[in-house]
Structure formats: structure tokens, C-alpha cells
Amino acid sequence: MSRTLSGVHSRGFDLPQDPPEMAELGHWMKLQQVSDNCFAVLNERNRACDANSGLINLGGGVVIDTQSDLPHARRMIELFGKVWPGMPGRVVNTHEDGDHVWGNQLFEGAEIIAHRTVRDLMPKVADPRETQQLIKAADRFLSRMLLKAVHPGALAIARQLQEDFDFDGIELALPTTVFDERHVLDLEGTEVHLIYVGPCHRVGDTIVHVPKEKVLFAGDVIFRECTPMGWNGSYDRWLKILDLIIWLDPDVIVPGHGPVCGIEGAMEMKAYLEYVRDESSRCFGQGLTSLQASKKIDFGPYGAWHSPARLYVNVERAYRELRNEMKDAPWDRARTFDAIHAVAKARGLEVEF
Ligand SMILES: [Zn+2]
């Protein structure tokens, strides 16, 4: 069954035009109305850290995820500002990754809501100083040469992030309200269900369902037209949560990354994960390492997605399960980006994350 989203696009109101000074970021960031009261800001370039945000424009407004840096967060506020009456009083973080929380500080005095684990994990997973230091290292001649020799992938992602973002001035604003399994907001009679679904991509994964509007904000449980990178959790859990999303039967899904979709987006993610798990298992049986497997596995229809070499992360995750390792064993991020870099090079692809 395939669903068209023509209704979503044609339902839009007349939105005011962008001021010219916002043209540069405005080229990539778009506001889209997805139901009567729900909106999305989409980062259409869809490279690493190009996360989406949502707005439920009721009950004083709820913003879902706050972008990767302050210029993007300010641009998001400009775009949502076209339809909201004033800065919203509530922010939801769908998980602990920096690209979803680094604009929190601009919502001064807002209630910031997330799963209980996010408050503890955000300072570890999304410490902005780590990214700032990596970018500084890429800027200095000696450390850049060292990175090039030892961690070419880390250098490559630092350069890409530097092109796309400005991480100056970010200070973590942690959740002020946490919940365990479910949290329900009543916005002028419209219920918003925050459902804990972690760990499938990150420990704190939460989906935001607005049943009355048939809209679901999926966070990074769904990537669209770009290769997912899941850091925590298991394949079984992720597939089960995608089934839950399909069962909830929203008309519109706003994924964490990539364009708005219907439930076909959840089905496609399921198909990708099942495919990678099967292929990984086959390669594991042949005695290949996860890096060798990632250089060999046919991308199939997913080769057209952005950054197909990020496949390595998903193969390594499958290998961790096949080796009966702890699912939440920490990742060495520099080595992980080196591996993605190596996969891209080996397959003759442009190195892009
Ligand atoms: Zn993300």
C-alpha cells in the first residue's frame, strides 16, 4: 500500500516569504505544514546533523527537537515564527544526540521534556566541547596532519561539519521534565502522546504521536533517503518499534532526518534493517570482519540514499549481536568515522557523512 502526501502539500496556508538575509540557510531549511496544527522544519540537504524539527501549534506551542547549532535553531525559530503567536513554552527532545538538542538554550524558561535517561546521557553523548575541539584540531596544521595520518575519517567529518555548522556558543540546556514510559500533554483538547521506544537508535528514543491529527514525529527511529546510524539498542527492538509506528497508522510521519512521509517510511526502514541484518549475518558466517563486509555488501536500492557508506555502523551493530557482545558497548567515534571513510574510498564513493 502506498500513500500519497498530496493532501499535505496542498493543505498549506499562505506563509509569509523569507527575509533575504536568511536566504543562505533558507536554501536548505524549509517549513512544511503537515496537518491542521502540526508543522515541520526540514533540513533538505540531509547530511550528518541535518536533523528535522516539529511544531504542534496548540496550547502555547510545543517544539520537537531544536537543531544542531544556534544559527540553525534561530532559523528554525524564524520559520516556525511565521505560524506561531510567540515562543513556545514547551520543547520535547526525542533523544540525547546533539543534532536534536543543541538549540535548547534559545527556548529560555521553556519546559524541556524528554525520557529520564536523556537528562543523564546528554552531557556525555552531546557535550558540545568534544565537537568544538575536533573542529579546532582540524584547523591547526600539526593536529590536522596528525588526524590525517591516524584518523582520516574523523578529519573528514570535522571538515564537513565545519562547512555546514557553527558550533560556537552552544551550552547544554537539559530536560526540566522527565518521564518513564509515557507522557501525555493536553493541548486545548488535543492529546499529544510522548511514547518511550528506546533503545533502538539511542537510549532515550521517544516518538511523539498526535492521534487527532494523525501525525507522528519519529525522531531518529526513522531516517528517510539517508542511511541510518543506530548507536544503541538491538535490531529486534528497532523492528518492533517500527511495527508499533505502522500500527499507530499515522497519515504523516516527520522523520528525524529526511523528507516527510507516510507509513511507507517506517516500512522502508524495516526493509533496510532486515536486509542489512541478513547480509551481515551471511558475511559473519563467511568469516569477514564488519569492515570487510561493509565494503562488500550490495547496497541494493539503498545505494541512492545519502551516505550509503554509513552502512558500516549498521553492520557493526549486527556483528555485536552476532558476537553476543553488550548491545550498549561504547563506540569509538573516531574509529567509526574512519571505517565509514574507508568503506566510501574502497567503493569509489565521494566521502560524505
Ligand atoms: Zn539525528
Side-chain angles (χ1 to χ4, degrees):
M1 180 183 57
S2 91
R3 298 176 172 209
T4 68
L5 287 170
S6 55
V8 172
H9 297 286
S10 61
R11 203 195 284 171
F13 301 172
D14 285 336
L15 300 169
Q17 291 302 301
D18 298 335
E21 65 274 16
M22 299 306 283
E24 200 185 316
L25 270 181
H27 182 64
W28 295 112
M29 293 181 77
K30 294 279 155 60
L31 175 68
Q32 185 174 336
Q33 183 168 21
V34 298
S35 70
D36 285 345
N37 297 294
C38 294
F39 298 81
V41 159
L42 307 167
N43 268 296
E44 294 191 322
R45 183 178 40 189
N46 212 1
R47 301 213 288 182
C49 289
D50 278 327
N52 297 328
S53 291
L55 168 70
I56 306 161
N57 202 20
L58 289 166
V62 179
V63 163
I64 298 140
D65 290 340
T66 59
Q67 301 289 311
S68 287
D69 67 359
L70 301 182
H72 282 75
R74 289 196 185 98
R75 176 61 181 155
M76 170 198 65
I77 289 168
E78 288 260 347
L79 288 168
F80 282 148
K82 294 174 180 199
V83 294
W84 74 34
M87 283 290 273
R90 288 188 180 109
V91 168
V92 174
N93 289 142
T94 58
H95 59 286
E96 59 270 29
D97 272 339
D99 55 332
H100 299 256
V101 308
W102 277 340
N104 281 5
Q105 75 199 70
L106 298 183
F107 294 84
E108 224 184 313
E111 179 187 17
I112 301 175
I113 310 169
H115 184 257
R116 183 174 301 281
T117 54
V118 172
R119 192 164 56 191
D120 298 330
L121 289 170
M122 209 190 271
K124 295 170 195 146
V125 170
D127 181 350
R129 287 168 303 184
E130 197 183 307
T131 308
Q132 288 157 354
Q133 279 161 9
L134 175 65
I135 285 172
K136 274 199 192 117
D139 267 346
R140 292 195 199 104
F141 178 75
L142 278 179
S143 49
R144 182 169 67 241
M145 289 301 112
L146 188 66
L147 269 178
K148 196 174 176 184
V150 183
H151 288 304
L155 177 61
I157 191 154
R159 288 206 160 132
Q160 180 181 313
L161 290 174
Q162 201 172 19
E163 263 176 45
D164 296 351
F165 299 100
D166 173 0
F167 298 105
D168 282 350
I170 297 169
E171 283 171 23
L172 282 188
L174 297 177
T176 55
T177 299
V178 295
F179 67 95
D180 289 310
E181 293 305 316
R182 240 168 214 267
H183 188 73
V184 179
L185 303 172
D186 183 349
L187 309 179
E188 302 166 35
T190 296
E191 282 195 353
V192 176
H193 297 187
L194 278 57
I195 307 168
Y196 177 59
V197 296
C200 54
H201 152 274
R202 273 292 188 196
V203 176
D205 291 324
T206 294
I207 56 174
V208 180
H209 186 215
V210 192
K212 198 166 162 185
E213 308 235 338
K214 292 190 75 79
V215 173
L216 188 137
F217 298 92
D220 283 1
V221 175
I222 297 184
F223 286 65
R224 184 88 172 136
E225 295 179 12
C226 60
T227 308
M229 279 197 289
W231 302 98
N232 304 103
S234 66
Y235 273 83
D236 277 348
R237 173 78 173 162
W238 200 340
L239 292 166
K240 205 173 119 195
I241 296 306
L242 289 165
D243 278 335
L244 167 71
I245 291 173
I246 293 163
W247 180 81
L248 289 170
D249 196 28
D251 281 347
V252 181
I253 295 174
V254 178
H257 296 260
V260 167
C261 54
I263 55 169
E264 77 282 358
M267 291 170 179
E268 211 173 71
M269 271 292 294
K270 263 192 81 176
Y272 175 80
L273 294 175
E274 282 164 350
Y275 174 72
V276 174
R277 183 169 65 173
D278 288 350
E279 288 297 296
S280 302
S281 170
R282 199 173 54 79
C283 292
F284 184 79
Q286 291 170 357
L288 301 180
T289 66
S290 59
L291 184 58
Q292 288 167 334
S294 307
K295 290 176 182 174
K296 192 176 168 215
I297 292 171
D298 186 356
F299 288 137
Y302 312 109
W305 287 3
H306 179 78
S307 194
R310 298 199 306 217
L311 166 74
Y312 167 77
V313 177
N314 305 312
V315 173
E316 173 57 23
R317 259 170 71 107
Y319 267 56
R320 287 173 172 213
E321 293 187 22
L322 291 160
R323 292 188 298 241
N324 289 319
E325 287 176 9
M326 263 176 51
K327 290 181 198 91
D328 291 338
W331 291 76
D332 180 327
R333 280 198 252 196
R335 281 176 193 276
T336 303
F337 290 119
D338 291 345
I340 296 170
H341 182 268
V343 171
K345 286 274 183 196
R347 304 184 72 138
L349 298 168
E350 191 188 344
V351 177
E352 215 178 39
F353 297 91

